[in-house]
Amino acid sequence: MSAAATQAPVRGVTNTRRVPRFSLGVAADVTVLRSGIPYSIPGRAVTLGELGLGLVLAGELHPGDSVGIEFRLPDAGGPFRLKAIVRYQALLHCGLEFVSLTSEQRTLIEHWTRKKSVANPTASSPVAGTQSSTPPPASALRPSIAGQKSSSGMLQRAAWVAFAAMLLLSVLGWWHWHQAWGELESQLPATKVPSQQPPALVPAEVMERRLTHKIEPIYPEAARLANIQGVVVLDMTIGSDGTVLDVRPVSGPDELTTPAVDAVKWWRFQPYLINGRAVPVKTTLAVDFRGN
């Protein structure tokens, strides 16, 4: 489906969605774990709503996959790095449901969608030109010309049939995409009010003991050859479900910061409990890079 689709909900069709979607049309990268190894799949985000994202990808995902998504929202600053769950997959088209949005991310997306909903783009209406022609006199008609006109009429009819077939295929494709989005959004849960409880501050040694899934960082070959070693210290925000919501480098060699962040954001922890209830936490962890 073209990324240049209209930016407002389709008119003339009863809209049963709780949250409208709008055309986006920006490049996007989706990261998914395969056997514990992150794979990046390039694609294009074509529609965006407050609860999810529609994409066309250069690879295949499966419903229920947990993925990381990165894209740039126009007029909203830097790139968005979010976590999502695949709710729909058909060929290279897929629909994602956002999870663990920060309050800042949710505010920016809501602001962008509201701005789109109040916009009133002017639809351009092509003007059909009318051509008039003077029919030739009856004396000019000859059998050969009559035969040419008959052949031309057959070609025109064939062209109209081909055009009608293409139009029908386009309508069927749009209908399939429309139905797929309806199925996706019918499964999205109602919008929940984000918790206002601030994350609890937990020492590093406590969270290290609650680590359940760890991906080792990739030591850059250039840094290894240059004998660049050291410890990268990271500030982390961990959600109540044990997933890493945010990672920010505090100190360490610049050449080692990016691989440390890329690995740590896929770590998983046993949820931290306060009074028997899982809560988000903030902590500081260190990733050590040592050459052989």
Side-chain angles (χ1 to χ4, degrees), residues 209-239:
R209 292 195 297 267
R210 305 184 76 85
L211 184 62
T212 60
H213 179 74
K214 181 178 181 181
I215 293 180
E216 295 295 337
I218 299 175
Y219 203 143
E221 188 63 24
R224 190 189 301 275
L225 294 176
N227 197 28
I228 298 175
Q229 305 181 49
V231 176
V232 178
V233 179
L234 304 170
D235 277 345
M236 301 172 57
T237 301
I238 302 171

mmCIF file of all heavy atoms in Angstrom, residues 209-239:
data_model
loop_
_atom_site.group_PDB
_atom_site.id
_atom_site.type_symbol
_atom_site.label_atom_id
_atom_site.label_comp_id
_atom_site.label_asym_id
_atom_site.label_seq_id
_atom_site.Cartn_x
_atom_site.Cartn_y
_atom_site.Cartn_z
ATOM 1 N N ARG A 209 21.789 -9.637 40.718
ATOM 2 C CA ARG A 209 21.333 -10.959 41.173
ATOM 3 C C ARG A 209 19.968 -11.331 40.605
ATOM 4 O O ARG A 209 19.581 -12.499 40.610
ATOM 5 C CB ARG A 209 21.276 -10.983 42.713
ATOM 6 C CG ARG A 209 22.623 -10.912 43.392
ATOM 7 C CD ARG A 209 22.522 -11.310 44.856
ATOM 8 N NE ARG A 209 21.675 -10.400 45.614
ATOM 9 C CZ ARG A 209 22.125 -9.335 46.275
ATOM 10 N NH1 ARG A 209 23.432 -9.041 46.246
ATOM 11 N NH2 ARG A 209 21.291 -8.568 46.958
ATOM 12 N N ARG A 210 19.233 -10.338 40.084
ATOM 13 C CA ARG A 210 17.907 -10.601 39.522
ATOM 14 C C ARG A 210 17.955 -10.724 37.996
ATOM 15 O O ARG A 210 16.906 -10.836 37.348
ATOM 16 C CB ARG A 210 16.936 -9.474 39.921
ATOM 17 C CG ARG A 210 16.863 -9.258 41.415
ATOM 18 C CD ARG A 210 15.838 -8.205 41.788
ATOM 19 N NE ARG A 210 14.490 -8.737 41.699
ATOM 20 C CZ ARG A 210 13.875 -9.403 42.662
ATOM 21 N NH1 ARG A 210 14.496 -9.629 43.820
ATOM 22 N NH2 ARG A 210 12.636 -9.842 42.508
ATOM 23 N N LEU A 211 19.159 -10.699 37.420
ATOM 24 C CA LEU A 211 19.324 -10.819 35.975
ATOM 25 C C LEU A 211 18.986 -12.240 35.528
ATOM 26 O O LEU A 211 19.560 -13.211 36.012
ATOM 27 C CB LEU A 211 20.761 -10.465 35.574
ATOM 28 C CG LEU A 211 21.091 -10.447 34.083
ATOM 29 C CD1 LEU A 211 20.256 -9.396 33.367
ATOM 30 C CD2 LEU A 211 22.572 -10.168 33.879
ATOM 31 N N THR A 212 18.024 -12.354 34.587
ATOM 32 C CA THR A 212 17.598 -13.676 34.093
ATOM 33 C C THR A 212 18.003 -13.943 32.646
ATOM 34 O O THR A 212 18.038 -15.075 32.220
ATOM 35 C CB THR A 212 16.065 -13.818 34.211
ATOM 36 O OG1 THR A 212 15.439 -12.787 33.416
ATOM 37 C CG2 THR A 212 15.618 -13.682 35.658
ATOM 38 N N HIS A 213 18.254 -12.905 31.883
ATOM 39 C CA HIS A 213 18.632 -13.084 30.467
ATOM 40 C C HIS A 213 19.663 -12.017 30.123
ATOM 41 O O HIS A 213 19.412 -10.830 30.288
ATOM 42 C CB HIS A 213 17.413 -12.943 29.558
ATOM 43 C CG HIS A 213 17.734 -13.080 28.098
ATOM 44 N ND1 HIS A 213 18.021 -14.290 27.506
ATOM 45 C CD2 HIS A 213 17.840 -12.155 27.122
ATOM 46 C CE1 HIS A 213 18.280 -14.106 26.230
ATOM 47 N NE2 HIS A 213 18.176 -12.814 25.972
ATOM 48 N N LYS A 214 20.824 -12.462 29.660
ATOM 49 C CA LYS A 214 21.925 -11.540 29.392
ATOM 50 C C LYS A 214 22.495 -11.785 28.010
ATOM 51 O O LYS A 214 22.755 -12.934 27.636
ATOM 52 C CB LYS A 214 23.019 -11.705 30.450
ATOM 53 C CG LYS A 214 24.199 -10.755 30.272
ATOM 54 C CD LYS A 214 25.211 -10.947 31.396
ATOM 55 C CE LYS A 214 26.378 -9.987 31.247
ATOM 56 N NZ LYS A 214 27.384 -10.164 32.324
ATOM 57 N N ILE A 215 22.673 -10.729 27.242
ATOM 58 C CA ILE A 215 23.334 -10.795 25.932
ATOM 59 C C ILE A 215 24.684 -10.114 26.054
ATOM 60 O O ILE A 215 24.761 -8.948 26.474
ATOM 61 C CB ILE A 215 22.481 -10.110 24.847
ATOM 62 C CG1 ILE A 215 21.188 -10.901 24.625
ATOM 63 C CG2 ILE A 215 23.251 -9.987 23.541
ATOM 64 C CD1 ILE A 215 20.286 -10.301 23.584
ATOM 65 N N GLU A 216 25.738 -10.836 25.739
ATOM 66 C CA GLU A 216 27.076 -10.261 25.833
ATOM 67 C C GLU A 216 27.281 -9.214 24.733
ATOM 68 O O GLU A 216 26.875 -9.417 23.585
ATOM 69 C CB GLU A 216 28.134 -11.351 25.701
ATOM 70 C CG GLU A 216 28.132 -12.360 26.835
ATOM 71 C CD GLU A 216 28.498 -11.730 28.172
ATOM 72 O OE1 GLU A 216 29.161 -10.669 28.172
ATOM 73 O OE2 GLU A 216 28.119 -12.305 29.217
ATOM 74 N N PRO A 217 27.906 -8.093 25.063
ATOM 75 C CA PRO A 217 28.152 -7.062 24.040
ATOM 76 C C PRO A 217 29.195 -7.532 23.028
ATOM 77 O O PRO A 217 30.049 -8.365 23.326
ATOM 78 C CB PRO A 217 28.658 -5.878 24.859
ATOM 79 C CG PRO A 217 29.254 -6.486 26.089
ATOM 80 C CD PRO A 217 28.407 -7.689 26.399
ATOM 81 N N ILE A 218 29.104 -7.002 21.831
ATOM 82 C CA ILE A 218 30.067 -7.311 20.773
ATOM 83 C C ILE A 218 31.249 -6.344 20.883
ATOM 84 O O ILE A 218 31.069 -5.117 20.828
ATOM 85 C CB ILE A 218 29.413 -7.203 19.387
ATOM 86 C CG1 ILE A 218 28.263 -8.211 19.273
ATOM 87 C CG2 ILE A 218 30.428 -7.428 18.289
ATOM 88 C CD1 ILE A 218 27.483 -8.099 17.982
ATOM 89 N N TYR A 219 32.419 -6.893 21.090
ATOM 90 C CA TYR A 219 33.632 -6.073 21.207
ATOM 91 C C TYR A 219 34.031 -5.611 19.800
ATOM 92 O O TYR A 219 34.397 -6.420 18.959
ATOM 93 C CB TYR A 219 34.743 -6.901 21.830
ATOM 94 C CG TYR A 219 35.846 -6.101 22.508
ATOM 95 C CD1 TYR A 219 36.444 -6.561 23.670
ATOM 96 C CD2 TYR A 219 36.281 -4.884 21.986
ATOM 97 C CE1 TYR A 219 37.443 -5.859 24.306
ATOM 98 C CE2 TYR A 219 37.280 -4.178 22.606
ATOM 99 C CZ TYR A 219 37.869 -4.652 23.773
ATOM 100 O OH TYR A 219 38.850 -3.938 24.385
ATOM 101 N N PRO A 220 33.968 -4.313 19.475
ATOM 102 C CA PRO A 220 34.322 -3.860 18.120
ATOM 103 C C PRO A 220 35.757 -4.245 17.779
ATOM 104 O O PRO A 220 36.678 -4.063 18.591
ATOM 105 C CB PRO A 220 34.143 -2.332 18.205
ATOM 106 C CG PRO A 220 33.213 -2.111 19.349
ATOM 107 C CD PRO A 220 33.525 -3.197 20.334
ATOM 108 N N GLU A 221 35.941 -4.785 16.587
ATOM 109 C CA GLU A 221 37.264 -5.240 16.178
ATOM 110 C C GLU A 221 38.257 -4.083 16.144
ATOM 111 O O GLU A 221 39.422 -4.239 16.524
ATOM 112 C CB GLU A 221 37.175 -5.917 14.813
ATOM 113 C CG GLU A 221 38.467 -6.602 14.378
ATOM 114 C CD GLU A 221 38.855 -7.747 15.318
ATOM 115 O OE1 GLU A 221 37.957 -8.292 15.986
ATOM 116 O OE2 GLU A 221 40.051 -8.087 15.373
ATOM 117 N N ALA A 222 37.788 -2.902 15.675
ATOM 118 C CA ALA A 222 38.695 -1.753 15.614
ATOM 119 C C ALA A 222 39.164 -1.361 17.007
ATOM 120 O O ALA A 222 40.335 -1.019 17.217
ATOM 121 C CB ALA A 222 37.997 -0.574 14.938
ATOM 122 N N ALA A 223 38.251 -1.412 17.997
ATOM 123 C CA ALA A 223 38.635 -1.077 19.371
ATOM 124 C C ALA A 223 39.587 -2.118 19.946
ATOM 125 O O ALA A 223 40.532 -1.796 20.676
ATOM 126 C CB ALA A 223 37.391 -0.961 20.239
ATOM 127 N N ARG A 224 39.356 -3.401 19.591
ATOM 128 C CA ARG A 224 40.244 -4.468 20.083
ATOM 129 C C ARG A 224 41.656 -4.295 19.528
ATOM 130 O O ARG A 224 42.644 -4.408 20.262
ATOM 131 C CB ARG A 224 39.669 -5.825 19.694
ATOM 132 C CG ARG A 224 40.390 -6.991 20.363
ATOM 133 C CD ARG A 224 39.916 -8.310 19.759
ATOM 134 N NE ARG A 224 38.497 -8.498 19.911
ATOM 135 C CZ ARG A 224 37.952 -9.011 21.007
ATOM 136 N NH1 ARG A 224 38.711 -9.369 22.022
ATOM 137 N NH2 ARG A 224 36.638 -9.161 21.076
ATOM 138 N N LEU A 225 41.737 -4.005 18.206
ATOM 139 C CA LEU A 225 43.049 -3.835 17.587
ATOM 140 C C LEU A 225 43.772 -2.616 18.143
ATOM 141 O O LEU A 225 44.999 -2.594 18.232
ATOM 142 C CB LEU A 225 42.901 -3.720 16.070
ATOM 143 C CG LEU A 225 42.384 -4.981 15.348
ATOM 144 C CD1 LEU A 225 42.193 -4.718 13.863
ATOM 145 C CD2 LEU A 225 43.350 -6.148 15.550
ATOM 146 N N ALA A 226 42.998 -1.566 18.500
ATOM 147 C CA ALA A 226 43.596 -0.358 19.059
ATOM 148 C C ALA A 226 43.829 -0.486 20.560
ATOM 149 O O ALA A 226 44.241 0.489 21.203
ATOM 150 C CB ALA A 226 42.700 0.844 18.769
ATOM 151 N N ASN A 227 43.559 -1.671 21.127
ATOM 152 C CA ASN A 227 43.746 -1.935 22.553
ATOM 153 C C ASN A 227 42.950 -0.957 23.415
ATOM 154 O O ASN A 227 43.413 -0.486 24.449
ATOM 155 C CB ASN A 227 45.227 -1.891 22.928
ATOM 156 C CG ASN A 227 45.486 -2.571 24.273
ATOM 157 O OD1 ASN A 227 44.752 -3.476 24.676
ATOM 158 N ND2 ASN A 227 46.521 -2.117 24.978
ATOM 159 N N ILE A 228 41.716 -0.665 22.963
ATOM 160 C CA ILE A 228 40.825 0.193 23.745
ATOM 161 C C ILE A 228 40.030 -0.701 24.682
ATOM 162 O O ILE A 228 39.270 -1.564 24.248
ATOM 163 C CB ILE A 228 39.887 0.992 22.829
ATOM 164 C CG1 ILE A 228 40.695 1.907 21.910
ATOM 165 C CG2 ILE A 228 38.893 1.811 23.648
ATOM 166 C CD1 ILE A 228 39.860 2.651 20.901
ATOM 167 N N GLN A 229 40.239 -0.520 25.980
ATOM 168 C CA GLN A 229 39.577 -1.318 26.987
ATOM 169 C C GLN A 229 38.938 -0.387 28.015
ATOM 170 O O GLN A 229 39.158 0.816 28.013
ATOM 171 C CB GLN A 229 40.568 -2.259 27.680
ATOM 172 C CG GLN A 229 41.339 -3.154 26.721
ATOM 173 C CD GLN A 229 42.278 -4.080 27.457
ATOM 174 O OE1 GLN A 229 41.884 -4.744 28.418
ATOM 175 N NE2 GLN A 229 43.534 -4.127 27.030
ATOM 176 N N GLY A 230 38.145 -0.969 28.899
ATOM 177 C CA GLY A 230 37.571 -0.162 29.961
ATOM 178 C C GLY A 230 36.193 -0.632 30.360
ATOM 179 O O GLY A 230 35.671 -1.633 29.864
ATOM 180 N N VAL A 231 35.633 0.119 31.282
ATOM 181 C CA VAL A 231 34.318 -0.177 31.827
ATOM 182 C C VAL A 231 33.348 0.914 31.385
ATOM 183 O O VAL A 231 33.625 2.104 31.533
ATOM 184 C CB VAL A 231 34.349 -0.257 33.362
ATOM 185 C CG1 VAL A 231 32.951 -0.478 33.932
ATOM 186 C CG2 VAL A 231 35.285 -1.370 33.816
ATOM 187 N N VAL A 232 32.216 0.505 30.830
ATOM 188 C CA VAL A 232 31.147 1.432 30.440
ATOM 189 C C VAL A 232 30.075 1.395 31.526
ATOM 190 O O VAL A 232 29.507 0.340 31.818
ATOM 191 C CB VAL A 232 30.543 1.043 29.076
ATOM 192 C CG1 VAL A 232 29.394 1.995 28.730
ATOM 193 C CG2 VAL A 232 31.607 1.089 27.986
ATOM 194 N N VAL A 233 29.838 2.535 32.147
ATOM 195 C CA VAL A 233 28.832 2.646 33.210
ATOM 196 C C VAL A 233 27.535 3.166 32.601
ATOM 197 O O VAL A 233 27.540 4.157 31.864
ATOM 198 C CB VAL A 233 29.310 3.579 34.326
ATOM 199 C CG1 VAL A 233 28.241 3.704 35.423
ATOM 200 C CG2 VAL A 233 30.613 3.065 34.923
ATOM 201 N N LEU A 234 26.422 2.503 32.905
ATOM 202 C CA LEU A 234 25.134 2.814 32.290
ATOM 203 C C LEU A 234 24.083 3.055 33.363
ATOM 204 O O LEU A 234 23.975 2.288 34.319
ATOM 205 C CB LEU A 234 24.675 1.657 31.387
ATOM 206 C CG LEU A 234 25.639 1.224 30.276
ATOM 207 C CD1 LEU A 234 25.153 -0.062 29.651
ATOM 208 C CD2 LEU A 234 25.771 2.308 29.230
ATOM 209 N N ASP A 235 23.301 4.134 33.187
ATOM 210 C CA ASP A 235 22.090 4.334 33.975
ATOM 211 C C ASP A 235 20.940 3.626 33.272
ATOM 212 O O ASP A 235 20.742 3.814 32.064
ATOM 213 C CB ASP A 235 21.768 5.826 34.122
ATOM 214 C CG ASP A 235 22.556 6.467 35.250
ATOM 215 O OD1 ASP A 235 23.105 5.729 36.076
ATOM 216 O OD2 ASP A 235 22.641 7.714 35.295
ATOM 217 N N MET A 236 20.169 2.821 34.008
ATOM 218 C CA MET A 236 19.118 2.020 33.400
ATOM 219 C C MET A 236 17.796 2.236 34.121
ATOM 220 O O MET A 236 17.762 2.416 35.339
ATOM 221 C CB MET A 236 19.477 0.526 33.443
ATOM 222 C CG MET A 236 20.757 0.171 32.737
ATOM 223 S SD MET A 236 21.230 -1.547 33.042
ATOM 224 C CE MET A 236 19.789 -2.411 32.462
ATOM 225 N N THR A 237 16.718 2.222 33.332
ATOM 226 C CA THR A 237 15.362 2.179 33.879
ATOM 227 C C THR A 237 14.750 0.845 33.480
ATOM 228 O O THR A 237 14.690 0.510 32.295
ATOM 229 C CB THR A 237 14.503 3.331 33.341
ATOM 230 O OG1 THR A 237 15.113 4.584 33.679
ATOM 231 C CG2 THR A 237 13.101 3.276 33.939
ATOM 232 N N ILE A 238 14.321 0.063 34.469
ATOM 233 C CA ILE A 238 13.790 -1.281 34.241
ATOM 234 C C ILE A 238 12.315 -1.279 34.613
ATOM 235 O O ILE A 238 11.930 -0.791 35.684
ATOM 236 C CB ILE A 238 14.557 -2.319 35.077
ATOM 237 C CG1 ILE A 238 16.055 -2.266 34.715
ATOM 238 C CG2 ILE A 238 13.992 -3.719 34.861
ATOM 239 C CD1 ILE A 238 16.926 -3.091 35.623
ATOM 240 N N GLY A 239 11.462 -1.772 33.716
ATOM 241 C CA GLY A 239 10.029 -1.778 33.936
ATOM 242 C C GLY A 239 9.610 -2.799 34.982
ATOM 243 O O GLY A 239 10.384 -3.667 35.400
#
